[in-house]
Amino acid sequence: MSTVVASVRSFEFGSLYMSSTVFSATCEHVPFGEFVRSCVERHLSGDWGDCCSDDASRNDAALVDGSRIFSVYDIPSGLYGLDSKVWIITESSREHTTVIFPSEY
C-alpha cells in the first residue's frame, strides 16, 4: 500500500482507479486530466473539496476510525461538459481509491 504524508493529515489509499469514462476524458482533454490529478492530490492531503459539511466531518472522523473517505470536486465551467463534478472515494479497507463521475455511481 502507498501512503501519502500530508502536512496535516495522511492516510493509506491503496491502488488508484478511475472509471473508464473519467480515464477517457483525462486522455482526451489534457486540462481536465490536470484537474483530476490536482483533485486526487487534494483528496490525499485531506482537502475534501466541495462536499457538504456533514461529509467533511465524516471524512475527518474517518481518518481516525478507518471508515470510507468521500470527496467532491466541482468541475470548473467550460473544462468538461458531460458532468459537473468528480467524486473520489477511498474505501474503508484502504485497498483502493476510485475517481468517478456522480452519474456512474
Side-chain angles (χ1 to χ4, degrees):
M1 296 229 174
S2 300
T3 303
V4 171
V5 178
S7 60
V8 176
R9 308 170 187 175
S10 68
F11 60 93
E12 293 186 35
F13 62 92
S15 299
L16 180 64
Y17 297 97
M18 290 182 193
S19 69
S20 59
T21 309
V22 171
F23 180 74
S24 293
T26 63
C27 292
E28 294 171 14
H29 308 285
V30 173
F32 180 71
E34 292 169 356
F35 169 75
V36 169
R37 184 177 58 244
S38 73
C39 292
V40 169
E41 290 171 358
R42 290 172 63 190
H43 175 80
L44 297 178
S45 71
D47 174 350
W48 314 130
D50 302 299
C51 66
C52 68
S53 60
D54 286 344
D55 284 338
S57 294
R58 284 186 200 97
N59 288 344
D60 292 338
L63 295 173
V64 176
D65 68 24
S67 55
R68 180 186 80 153
I69 300 172
F70 170 76
S71 295
V72 177
Y73 303 94
D74 293 333
I75 299 170
S77 179
L79 188 60
Y80 184 76
L82 298 180
D83 225 308
S84 63
K85 299 177 186 298
V86 170
W87 287 357
I88 303 179
I89 303 168
T90 299
E91 297 300 332
S92 60
S93 66
R94 301 297 192 261
E95 292 179 16
H96 60 274
T97 295
T98 306
V99 183
I100 63 171
F101 291 121
S103 60
E104 300 176 298
Y105 191 71

